Amino acid sequence: MSGELSPIDTAKFVASKRAVEYIEDGMRVGLGTGSTAAWMVRCLGERVREEGLTITGVPTSARTADLARQVGINVVSLDEAKWLDITIDGTDEFDADLCLIKGGGGAHLLEKIVATASDRMIVIADPSKSVDQLGAFPLPLEVIPFGWQTSKALVEEMLTSMDVLGHRTTLRMNGNTPFTSDEGNLILDLHLKRIGDARKLSMVLNQIPGVVENGLFIDICDVVVVGHGDGRVEVTDINEGTHEEDRIEFVDTDNIFKDL
């Protein structure tokens, strides 16, 4: 089965396999959203089933919650868990300081709440997510539906004074209708191309009326696990100042593939 995986799926799988090694029995774990995070949830479910690992999962979206239950992970709300030991999630971009852009799946509001309620955040990615400077991936901005066009106009006006290359802002669509988040909000995608000062931009964006949260994750991520198509993994720990390389060996019978 491993031979049937594309290089990108192999990269996501080995990164996920390595990341769930951080999980210990009894932990409360934040579960991210997105295609890479789905691999992680499946890998974690495999540990629950095969090792008898007892954990409590706090999902960041309805679709993650559904998948977690399917693979045998006990799911509760953040209010029930109160505080988390670790959150594992994917990313759309990350830089050398482990600052992130997230929200390609429209779940960055809940993802940021869960991540900041955790002792550690582990990010899993493939090499394409590594960038010298954030901004090539459109920056998601969650806004309330009421007066969203006014919020959009205020955002565009503000961007003219920011250190960014692009100023185009689009409403995210789901077919012919606006995309809505799990919280019932809309998503604006900011096509900035390059972000010169992510910290300043994040602070200014969240001051605009109608804006709920932006997709910049600053000083939140502790570890990035990058998987490669040949099975290699690179682990960068920003707090320890370490960078390690490893290789994940897996076989055709790995249960993770059975429903894919």
Side-chain angles (χ1 to χ4, degrees):
M1 182 68 71
S2 60
E4 297 178 14
L5 288 180
S6 67
I8 190 67
D9 281 339
T10 299
K12 293 177 179 181
F13 168 62
V14 296
S16 299
K17 195 87 165 174
R18 177 66 177 83
V20 299
E21 293 177 7
Y22 284 92
I23 306 303
E24 299 175 3
D25 194 59
M27 278 189 168
R28 292 162 295 181
V29 183
L31 307 174
T33 293
S35 61
T36 306
W39 284 96
M40 176 273 299
V41 172
R42 287 179 176 273
C43 287
L44 190 52
E46 185 179 43
R47 288 196 62 195
V48 168
R49 295 190 304 273
E50 297 191 356
E51 301 174 25
L53 192 70
T54 301
I55 62 165
T56 300
V58 174
T60 54
S61 68
R63 57 189 180 276
T64 293
D66 289 342
L67 177 59
R69 293 188 185 99
Q70 289 173 23
V71 300
I73 298 173
N74 178 42
V75 170
V76 301
S77 69
L78 181 58
D79 287 334
E80 292 174 286
K82 305 265 191 279
W83 194 260
L84 307 178
D85 297 287
I86 197 169
T87 286
I88 304 180
D89 205 347
T91 189
D92 297 304
E93 284 187 347
F94 71 92
D95 65 14
D97 295 322
L98 304 197
C99 295
L100 320 171
I101 285 182
K102 288 179 53 56
H108 62 275
L109 171 60
L110 300 190
E111 289 171 336
K112 188 176 284 190
I113 292 172
V114 168
T116 54
S118 306
D119 289 336
R120 301 181 79 189
M121 182 189 190
I122 312 295
V123 163
I124 46 181
D126 62 79
S128 70
K129 303 304 194 304
S130 176
V131 297
D132 293 329
Q133 195 161 29
L134 299 176
F137 190 91
L139 175 64
L141 195 65
E142 186 156 341
V143 298
I144 67 170
F146 178 82
W148 72 266
Q149 294 188 58
T150 299
S151 298
K152 179 176 181 289
L154 290 171
V155 168
E156 291 172 338
E157 181 181 3
M158 179 275 296
L159 288 176
T160 62
S161 63
M162 291 288 105
D163 184 10
V164 297
L165 282 183
H167 305 107
R168 187 167 66 93
T169 303
T170 58
L171 177 67
R172 186 177 300 184
M173 302 296 290
N174 182 17
N176 295 323
T177 60
F179 174 92
T180 56
S181 71
D182 281 359
E183 300 302 298
N185 296 317
L186 304 176
I187 302 290
L188 300 178
D189 287 312
L190 314 187
H191 303 266
L192 307 178
K193 300 180 181 178
R194 180 189 60 80
I195 300 172
D197 190 337
R199 189 181 305 276
K200 179 180 179 181
L201 179 62
S202 178
M203 292 174 58
V204 174
L205 282 170
N206 282 7
Q207 297 302 311
I208 295 175
V211 171
V212 181
E213 189 55 79
N214 69 79
L216 287 165
F217 283 52
I218 311 295
D219 299 332
I220 297 176
C221 175
D222 298 287
V223 176
V224 167
V225 181
V226 177
H228 294 266
D230 59 2
R232 290 180 300 117
V233 292
E234 298 179 78
V235 181
T236 301
D237 188 318
I238 196 73
N239 300 315
E240 299 294 332
T242 58
H243 181 86
E244 302 174 354
E245 293 194 18
D246 197 0
R247 181 177 293 275
I248 300 295
E249 302 292 343
F250 57 97
V251 295
D252 294 350
T253 55
D254 274 0
N255 291 337
I256 191 70
F257 305 118
K258 66 180 182 179
D259 296 324
L260 295 181

PDB file of all heavy atoms in Angstrom, residues 65 93 118 120 153 184 206 208 214 238 255:
ATOM      1  N   ALA A  65     -13.784  16.379  14.387  1.00  0.00           N
ATOM      2  CA  ALA A  65     -14.497  15.647  15.443  1.00  0.00           C
ATOM      3  C   ALA A  65     -15.072  14.342  14.903  1.00  0.00           C
ATOM      4  O   ALA A  65     -14.963  13.284  15.544  1.00  0.00           O
ATOM      5  CB  ALA A  65     -15.600  16.517  16.028  1.00  0.00           C
ATOM      6  N   GLU A  93       1.675  27.827   5.701  1.00  0.00           N
ATOM      7  CA  GLU A  93       3.043  28.340   5.548  1.00  0.00           C
ATOM      8  C   GLU A  93       3.694  28.408   6.920  1.00  0.00           C
ATOM      9  O   GLU A  93       3.016  28.607   7.925  1.00  0.00           O
ATOM     10  CB  GLU A  93       3.058  29.758   4.947  1.00  0.00           C
ATOM     11  CG  GLU A  93       2.805  29.877   3.483  1.00  0.00           C
ATOM     12  CD  GLU A  93       3.004  31.301   2.957  1.00  0.00           C
ATOM     13  OE1 GLU A  93       3.096  32.245   3.777  1.00  0.00           O
ATOM     14  OE2 GLU A  93       3.056  31.474   1.733  1.00  0.00           O
ATOM     15  N   SER A 118      -2.892  25.384  24.909  1.00  0.00           N
ATOM     16  CA  SER A 118      -2.063  24.186  25.009  1.00  0.00           C
ATOM     17  C   SER A 118      -0.666  24.529  25.516  1.00  0.00           C
ATOM     18  O   SER A 118      -0.145  25.610  25.241  1.00  0.00           O
ATOM     19  CB  SER A 118      -1.934  23.512  23.632  1.00  0.00           C
ATOM     20  OG  SER A 118      -3.196  23.257  23.053  1.00  0.00           O
ATOM     21  N   ARG A 120       1.986  23.028  24.462  1.00  0.00           N
ATOM     22  CA  ARG A 120       2.857  22.978  23.287  1.00  0.00           C
ATOM     23  C   ARG A 120       2.014  22.861  22.030  1.00  0.00           C
ATOM     24  O   ARG A 120       0.959  22.220  22.038  1.00  0.00           O
ATOM     25  CB  ARG A 120       3.824  21.787  23.338  1.00  0.00           C
ATOM     26  CG  ARG A 120       4.745  21.738  24.511  1.00  0.00           C
ATOM     27  CD  ARG A 120       5.650  20.528  24.432  1.00  0.00           C
ATOM     28  NE  ARG A 120       6.757  20.715  23.511  1.00  0.00           N
ATOM     29  CZ  ARG A 120       7.589  19.736  23.130  1.00  0.00           C
ATOM     30  NH1 ARG A 120       7.408  18.505  23.570  1.00  0.00           N
ATOM     31  NH2 ARG A 120       8.591  19.991  22.314  1.00  0.00           N
ATOM     32  N   ALA A 153     -13.774  46.761   3.225  1.00  0.00           N
ATOM     33  CA  ALA A 153     -13.270  48.063   2.783  1.00  0.00           C
ATOM     34  C   ALA A 153     -12.269  48.632   3.782  1.00  0.00           C
ATOM     35  O   ALA A 153     -11.238  49.211   3.391  1.00  0.00           O
ATOM     36  CB  ALA A 153     -14.430  49.030   2.587  1.00  0.00           C
ATOM     37  N   GLY A 184     -20.235  30.114  11.775  1.00  0.00           N
ATOM     38  CA  GLY A 184     -21.207  30.863  10.994  1.00  0.00           C
ATOM     39  C   GLY A 184     -20.688  32.175  10.437  1.00  0.00           C
ATOM     40  O   GLY A 184     -21.470  33.022  10.000  1.00  0.00           O
ATOM     41  N   ASN A 206      -6.774  42.738  13.815  1.00  0.00           N
ATOM     42  CA  ASN A 206      -7.741  42.374  14.848  1.00  0.00           C
ATOM     43  C   ASN A 206      -8.376  43.571  15.536  1.00  0.00           C
ATOM     44  O   ASN A 206      -9.261  43.415  16.368  1.00  0.00           O
ATOM     45  CB  ASN A 206      -7.087  41.447  15.877  1.00  0.00           C
ATOM     46  CG  ASN A 206      -6.970  40.019  15.379  1.00  0.00           C
ATOM     47  OD1 ASN A 206      -7.255  39.726  14.226  1.00  0.00           O
ATOM     48  ND2 ASN A 206      -6.544  39.123  16.250  1.00  0.00           N
ATOM     49  N   ILE A 208      -9.852  45.906  13.645  1.00  0.00           N
ATOM     50  CA  ILE A 208     -10.872  46.377  12.710  1.00  0.00           C
ATOM     51  C   ILE A 208     -12.235  45.818  13.113  1.00  0.00           C
ATOM     52  O   ILE A 208     -12.380  44.606  13.302  1.00  0.00           O
ATOM     53  CB  ILE A 208     -10.512  45.960  11.273  1.00  0.00           C
ATOM     54  CG1 ILE A 208      -9.222  46.660  10.832  1.00  0.00           C
ATOM     55  CG2 ILE A 208     -11.654  46.274  10.307  1.00  0.00           C
ATOM     56  CD1 ILE A 208      -8.716  46.222   9.482  1.00  0.00           C
ATOM     57  N   ASN A 214      -7.519  36.595  12.618  1.00  0.00           N
ATOM     58  CA  ASN A 214      -6.726  36.398  11.402  1.00  0.00           C
ATOM     59  C   ASN A 214      -5.944  35.098  11.486  1.00  0.00           C
ATOM     60  O   ASN A 214      -5.844  34.478  12.543  1.00  0.00           O
ATOM     61  CB  ASN A 214      -5.786  37.587  11.190  1.00  0.00           C
ATOM     62  CG  ASN A 214      -4.690  37.654  12.234  1.00  0.00           C
ATOM     63  OD1 ASN A 214      -3.695  36.929  12.166  1.00  0.00           O
ATOM     64  ND2 ASN A 214      -4.869  38.523  13.227  1.00  0.00           N
ATOM     65  N   ILE A 238      11.835  25.165  18.281  1.00  0.00           N
ATOM     66  CA  ILE A 238      12.242  26.552  18.413  1.00  0.00           C
ATOM     67  C   ILE A 238      12.688  26.880  19.830  1.00  0.00           C
ATOM     68  O   ILE A 238      13.556  27.732  20.045  1.00  0.00           O
ATOM     69  CB  ILE A 238      11.096  27.506  17.975  1.00  0.00           C
ATOM     70  CG1 ILE A 238      11.621  28.921  17.729  1.00  0.00           C
ATOM     71  CG2 ILE A 238       9.974  27.489  18.976  1.00  0.00           C
ATOM     72  CD1 ILE A 238      12.424  29.085  16.477  1.00  0.00           C
ATOM     73  N   ASN A 255      -2.353   0.064   9.269  1.00  0.00           N
ATOM     74  CA  ASN A 255      -3.806   0.240   9.330  1.00  0.00           C
ATOM     75  C   ASN A 255      -4.257   1.622   8.889  1.00  0.00           C
ATOM     76  O   ASN A 255      -5.415   1.830   8.551  1.00  0.00           O
ATOM     77  CB  ASN A 255      -4.303  -0.026  10.755  1.00  0.00           C
ATOM     78  CG  ASN A 255      -4.192  -1.487  11.143  1.00  0.00           C
ATOM     79  OD1 ASN A 255      -4.150  -2.343  10.276  1.00  0.00           O
ATOM     80  ND2 ASN A 255      -4.117  -1.762  12.431  1.00  0.00           N
TER      81      ASN A 255
END
